[in-house]
């Protein structure tokens, strides 16, 4: 197991380490929210959290009793929302605790997994159907009373949580792969549109140059080429559009001048025909 990052920084056991640890937990959330009754599982829960934190688990455990008749305070609700799984210590007092019931029901509403520790088969009478049907982690009443989490409990918590993490990694990887393919598809579309736009710009400039060359000899052909260029030119290609407009004006001017010359009256007039 890797060393604690705080110890590597020389902050282990200091007030700074505690503040930094709390900041990291608030920022990133918790691996486990520990739900238990202080009346018969307080020392066991704290011992279990200590051992889990030695295994690099981030745990939330509430050590203060809620006032009777009060709902879950906002701080506990935030901690539940920020936890990936709920670790339920299923003791006799835990099953009848109103506070444990609130925590379990709130967490089940988040549609996240619950890891239930079943103490001497007490969870067979669980008031939560989802917990009754779950796969329990067995623990003895003696271990609860002696505040001595069994190796089997620790091993099973680690195994289940790591299995869930692997599944999350697989799901996240699939999502990331899908997003990558979508990004590649969008990039290909953008590249294709860019290529088409560049082709249009090049075609418009070619037709504009051809119109400018022909307008002097054949204004009508110059107009046709300029109109074709206008159909290809993009709104962003201001220079080409300005050149097309100048070519059109020049073609119209030359065309009008030619027609004016051709239809000018002869010396004999029309009546002479």
């Amino acid at each position: 197991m890797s060393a604690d990052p705080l110890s590597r920084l020389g902050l282990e056991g200091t007030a700074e380490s505690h503040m930094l640890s709390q900041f990291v937990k608030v920022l990133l959330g918790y691996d486990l929210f520990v739900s238990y009754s202080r009346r018969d599982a307080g020392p066991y829960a704290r011992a279990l959290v200590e051992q889990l934190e030695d295994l690099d688990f981030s745990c939330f455990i509430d050590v203060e009793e809620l006032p009777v008749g009060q709902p879950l305070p906002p701080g506990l609700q935030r901690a539940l929302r920020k936890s990936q799984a709920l670790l339920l210590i299923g003791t006799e007092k835990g099953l009848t605790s109103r506070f444990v019931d609130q925590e379990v029901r709130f967490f089940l509403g988040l549609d996240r997994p619950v890891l239930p520790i079943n103490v001497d088969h007490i969870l067979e009478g669980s008031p939560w159907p989802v917990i009754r049907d779950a796969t329990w982690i067995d623990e003895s009443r003696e271990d609860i009373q002696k505040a001595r989490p069994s190796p089997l409990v620790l091993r099973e918590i680690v195994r289940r949580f790591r299995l869930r993490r692997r599944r999350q990694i697989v799901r996240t990887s699939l999502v990331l792969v899908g997003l990558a393919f979508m990004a590649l598809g969008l990039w290909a579309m953008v590249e294709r549109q860019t290529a088409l736009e560049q082709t249009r710009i090049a075609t418009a400039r070619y037709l504009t140059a051809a119109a400018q060359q022909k307008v002097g000899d054949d204004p009508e052909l110059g107009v046709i080429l300029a109109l074709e260029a206008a159909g290809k030119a993009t709104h962003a290609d201001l220079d080409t559009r300005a050149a097309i407009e100048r070519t059109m004006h020049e073609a119209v001017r030359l065309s009008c001048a030619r027609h004016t010359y051709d239809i000018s009256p002869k010396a004999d007039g029309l009546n002479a025909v």
Side-chain angles (χ1 to χ4, degrees), residues 195-236:
L196 290 174
E197 185 173 356
Q198 293 298 324
T199 301
R200 288 185 58 184
I201 291 173
T203 303
R205 290 178 179 176
Y206 173 80
L207 291 172
T208 302
Q212 290 173 332
Q213 289 179 351
K214 295 294 184 181
V215 70
D217 300 330
D218 191 344
E220 288 78 6
L221 179 57
V223 169
I224 293 173
L225 292 172
L227 289 174
E228 287 290 330
K232 298 291 184 180
T234 63
H235 292 289

Side-chain angles (χ1 to χ4, degrees), residues 7-197:
S7 64
R8 292 199 300 268
L9 293 173
L11 296 175
E12 186 179 20
T14 66
E16 290 83 358
S17 73
H18 177 72
M19 293 176 60
L20 181 58
S21 176
Q22 291 301 113
F23 174 76
V24 171
K25 288 180 179 179
V26 170
L27 183 65
L28 301 180
Y30 306 91
D31 295 323
L32 295 168
F33 183 104
V34 182
S35 182
Y36 68 102
S37 172
R38 295 159 190 80
R39 291 180 292 169
D40 62 356
Y44 176 90
R46 290 190 290 273
L48 181 59
V49 166
E50 287 179 4
Q51 295 188 37
L52 287 171
E53 289 182 339
D54 286 341
L55 296 173
D56 290 334
F57 280 81
S58 174
C59 301
F60 180 92
I61 180 170
D62 185 27
V63 295
E64 296 182 1
E65 189 77 28
L66 292 177
V68 176
Q70 293 295 319
L72 286 175
L76 277 183
Q77 294 185 26
R78 283 194 298 271
L80 284 162
R81 290 193 183 95
K82 286 179 171 291
S83 300
Q84 296 188 38
L86 183 137
L87 181 61
L88 171 64
I89 302 177
T91 60
E92 182 179 357
K93 300 297 184 183
L95 260 63
T96 59
S97 168
R98 185 177 61 84
F99 312 117
V100 171
D101 181 69
Q102 288 184 30
E103 292 169 354
V104 172
R105 294 186 186 279
F106 186 94
F107 199 80
L108 289 175
L110 301 176
D111 195 26
R112 296 178 193 167
V114 176
L115 306 180
I117 297 177
N118 185 27
V119 181
D120 284 350
H121 307 289
I122 195 70
L123 288 180
E124 293 175 2
S126 166
W128 314 289
V130 174
I131 304 300
R132 282 201 305 269
D133 298 335
T135 304
W136 305 322
I137 303 172
D138 292 323
E139 182 67 288
S140 69
R141 189 187 303 271
E142 180 183 358
D143 287 332
I144 294 290
Q145 292 172 347
K146 292 183 177 181
R148 184 184 59 197
S150 67
L152 176 63
V153 167
L154 285 167
R155 186 163 57 247
E156 191 62 19
I157 291 173
V158 172
R159 185 189 71 81
R160 294 190 188 185
F161 196 83
R162 286 178 177 171
L163 178 62
R164 181 175 181 273
R165 271 183 174 169
R166 284 196 294 269
R167 290 173 178 170
Q168 284 182 327
I169 291 171
V170 170
R171 286 196 294 266
T172 303
S173 299
L174 290 175
V175 170
L176 291 176
V177 169
L179 291 174
F181 276 113
M182 289 178 60
L184 286 173
L186 290 173
W187 176 79
M189 289 177 59
V190 170
E191 287 294 309
R192 183 173 180 273
Q193 290 296 327
T194 302
L196 290 174
E197 185 173 356

